[in-house]
Amino acid sequence: MTQLRSGELAAHLARGLAPVYAVHGDEPLLALEAADAVRAAARSKGYAERRVLEPARGFDWSEFTHALASQSLFAEKTFVDLRLATGKPGTDGAAAIESYCSEPGADRLLLVTLPRLDRAGQASSWFGALARAGVVVDVYPVERARLPGWIGERLARQKQSAPPEVLEFIADRVEGNLLAAHQEVQKLALLAPQGPLSMEIVTDAVAEVARYDPYLAAEALVAGDTPRYLRIIEGLRAEGEQPTFVLFALTQALFALAGGARVFNRRLQAAVEGAGRRFTRAQLDDAIAQSAAIRAIKGVGSGDAWERFLTLGLKLAHGSKA
C-alpha cells in the first residue's frame, strides 16, 4: 500500500501512474486539487475516455463494473472517476470495488474521491482493497501556524511575494476558510503586479472572509495565542454563534490539557499534545472553574457569557492578573 499526503502527490505522478487512487480528506479545496492532478496526469498519459460516476440511492453498481470492463471503440485507455459523496458505497458498491481492485484491468485507471473516513471506514474491506491496489491520498487541513507559509507558496506560483507581516495579515482575514484564501491569492494576481506586495496593496485588495469555528478558539487557547483567541471569540460573537457550542469546545480543551479527556477534533488534539507544560495545574483548575461558572449563567446565551470567554483566555494566559 502507498499512502501519500496531498503535497507529495505531484512528485509521485511525475514518476508514473498507479492503477487506482483514493483521495479522501477534510479540506475540500486541497482534495479537489489532488483529484484534478490525477485527472491531468491521466490525460497526459493517454486516458482519453473518462466516465464520471456519482452513485446515489438506487445506483446500479453493474454500471461501475461495466465501465471498467468494457473496451471503448474510440480509446484504448479508460479512466473511471468515482465520486462517493457520502463515503459509503453500500453493500453492493463495496463488493464491486473489492472485486475490481483484486485484479485491476490493464489500461484502466480508477479514481475514487470521498470525504475523510473515520477509523471504521478506513478499516473496511473495500477501502483496504483500494489501498492495496493503488495509492491513498490523505488530505489534511492547513493548520493556522502553517497558513502564512501556504499563502506565500501560492503567491510564489504567480511570481509574487510578501513579507511575514503581510502574510499574517492575509491569514487573519481568511482564517478557517482555505477556499477564500485561495480566492484572495488569485485576486492579488489580477489586482497587483508581480514582485513584492506591500501592506497597502494587500489591505486594499483582501476582504474580511474569515470563517470562525468554536474549535479554532479552543485551539488558539491551548496554543497560548491570546490575540488570536480574542479575535476568534469576537468573530464568533459577531457571527451569532451559540455560546453553548463555544463553551463545549473550550471545556473539552481544558479537560484534555488537565489529562482528563481526549478530544476528537484532530487539530485541537494536535494542539493539546503540543502544549506540553505550557500551563500549570493551578491555571488549568482555575480555567475549568471559570468554564463551570459560565455554564451556570442563566441562559448561557447572554452577553455576559461572551465577556467571560474573553476573561477566561486572558486569565489563562496571564494568571490571575486579568
Side-chain angles (χ1 to χ4, degrees):
M1 179 183 80
T2 301
Q3 195 160 4
L4 303 174
R5 289 191 173 232
S6 55
E8 302 169 324
L9 181 59
H12 163 84
L13 293 173
R15 295 191 296 270
L17 285 171
V20 174
Y21 288 89
V23 177
H24 76 127
D26 307 300
E27 178 49 63
L29 172 68
L30 299 183
L32 176 62
E33 290 183 340
D36 281 346
V38 174
R39 294 173 186 125
R43 286 194 300 271
S44 71
K45 297 296 184 181
Y47 286 86
E49 180 175 332
R50 176 168 159 239
R51 293 283 307 279
V52 178
L53 301 177
E54 300 185 68
R57 181 174 294 181
F59 178 75
D60 183 355
W61 279 92
S62 66
E63 185 178 345
F64 167 81
T65 302
H66 178 72
L68 285 163
S70 61
Q71 180 67 49
S72 170
L73 296 175
F74 307 103
E76 293 182 357
K77 296 183 176 182
T78 301
F79 175 26
V80 172
D81 192 336
L82 179 64
R83 302 175 182 182
L84 296 176
T86 65
K88 298 178 179 179
T91 303
D92 291 344
I97 291 170
E98 288 181 54
S99 176
Y100 176 75
C101 289
S102 66
E103 192 175 351
D107 295 327
R108 299 288 183 273
L109 178 63
L110 171 62
L111 168 64
V112 182
T113 53
L114 60 164
R116 174 163 299 284
L117 298 181
D118 58 18
R119 184 172 298 179
Q122 293 186 50
S124 64
S125 57
W126 65 269
F127 190 77
L130 288 170
R132 289 189 297 274
V135 175
V136 172
V137 182
D138 288 310
V139 180
Y140 294 102
V142 177
E143 297 173 356
R144 176 58 180 81
R146 294 178 48 234
L147 186 55
W150 185 89
I151 293 169
E153 292 172 1
R154 295 288 168 132
L155 288 173
R157 294 182 187 180
Q158 54 200 42
K159 299 182 179 179
Q160 292 176 320
S161 62
E165 63 271 18
V166 174
L167 296 177
E168 283 288 346
F169 172 81
I170 300 173
D172 285 345
R173 293 300 181 276
V174 300
E175 181 161 0
N177 193 343
L178 201 64
L179 179 58
H182 174 67
Q183 291 170 338
E184 293 301 322
V185 169
Q186 289 184 315
K187 186 195 301 182
L188 286 168
L190 297 173
L191 299 180
Q194 293 182 358
L197 301 176
S198 68
M199 180 66 81
E200 182 180 7
I201 290 173
V202 172
T203 301
D204 289 341
V206 175
E208 174 68 73
V209 289
R211 185 178 63 212
Y212 296 110
D213 178 284
Y215 282 102
L216 291 177
E219 182 186 332
L221 183 72
V222 167
D225 190 343
T226 306
R228 180 180 171 226
Y229 170 78
L230 298 177
R231 184 174 66 252
I232 294 172
I233 290 294
E234 291 291 5
L236 288 166
R237 172 156 55 176
E239 291 177 353
E241 182 61 80
Q242 290 295 318
T244 47
F245 296 150
V246 180
L247 181 61
F248 177 75
L250 297 181
T251 303
Q252 268 197 316
L254 291 170
F255 276 107
L257 282 172
R262 177 177 175 81
V263 294
F264 294 96
N265 178 282
R266 191 187 64 82
R267 289 176 58 172
L268 180 54
Q269 181 62 34
V272 168
E273 292 171 354
R277 297 174 182 246
R278 180 174 290 122
F279 306 107
T280 66
R281 182 69 202 206
Q283 283 178 295
L284 294 174
D285 287 345
D286 182 60
I288 290 170
Q290 289 180 66
S291 70
I294 296 172
R295 187 181 298 108
I297 296 173
K298 185 177 180 180
V300 168
S302 67
D304 191 32
W306 290 106
E307 296 304 319
R308 292 195 180 209
F309 288 146
L310 298 175
T311 301
L312 186 155
L314 290 169
K315 281 190 174 182
L316 186 59
H318 305 295
S320 61
K321 297 177 183 179

